[in-house]
Amino acid sequence: TIPLLQAARKRNSLNLLELTEAELEEQFVRGDGPGGQATNKTNNCVVLKHVPSGIVVKCHQTRSVEQNRKIAREILQEKVDLFYKGEESDVYKEKKASEKKKQEKKRRAKQNLEKKKLLKEMQQLDKK
């Protein structure tokens, strides 16, 4: 099973709960990670908290504060949707479907590899 809040960040979800600005607390902090002086001197990392649920999102994906604000709101909206709807959330269903697809792809690749090994063994036996 997927931890619910880790399933967030799928873009195709349409049926998400709406967030109001009154429910949000927003802070701008210095980002972390690579980037040197550009990262160390600018407050372009956005920390967004949904007060009713206590969910916090930190976004420092771009150098632009406005883009980080937008991305943080999208991520937070999906996490809040997962928090309240649980397994009924579209985000959760999409994540489950993509995980199932990935497992099927792995299974097929494994089958193909086994077939190739068998074919090689048969060819070697024919040569002898």
Side-chain angles (χ1 to χ4, degrees), residues 4-112:
L4 287 180
L5 292 180
Q6 288 182 358
R9 198 61 181 130
K10 294 300 254 177
R11 295 229 168 206
N12 299 337
S13 302
L14 301 172
N15 199 11
L16 299 176
L17 294 174
E18 292 297 318
L19 299 178
T20 61
E21 289 296 317
E23 297 175 330
L24 304 177
E25 285 181 9
E26 186 174 45
Q27 290 180 315
F28 303 101
V29 297
R30 289 195 177 110
D32 54 358
Q37 186 174 0
T39 299
N40 298 337
K41 283 194 170 185
T42 57
N43 291 339
N44 57 5
C45 180
V46 177
V47 178
L48 202 58
K49 180 178 181 180
H50 185 251
V51 177
S53 64
I55 296 173
V56 177
V57 170
K58 185 176 181 182
C59 180
H60 186 233
Q61 293 182 6
T62 68
R63 293 170 72 180
S64 165
V65 176
E66 290 304 314
Q67 285 180 332
N68 286 335
R69 289 180 76 204
K70 183 179 180 226
I71 294 168
R73 278 171 171 67
E74 290 172 1
I75 296 170
L76 185 66
Q77 186 178 20
E78 291 172 0
K79 287 193 178 204
V80 167
D81 190 67
L82 276 169
F83 182 78
Y84 286 116
K85 291 183 181 176
E87 293 182 7
E88 298 300 314
S89 171
D90 289 345
V91 177
Y92 183 81
K93 289 175 184 175
E94 282 182 24
K95 182 70 174 179
K96 269 297 220 198
S98 70
E99 195 174 273
K100 195 173 187 178
K101 202 178 207 181
K102 191 175 180 181
Q103 286 175 348
E104 180 62 25
K105 193 173 179 181
K106 268 187 180 179
R107 188 187 62 77
R108 274 196 233 117
K110 194 174 180 180
Q111 277 182 339
N112 286 341

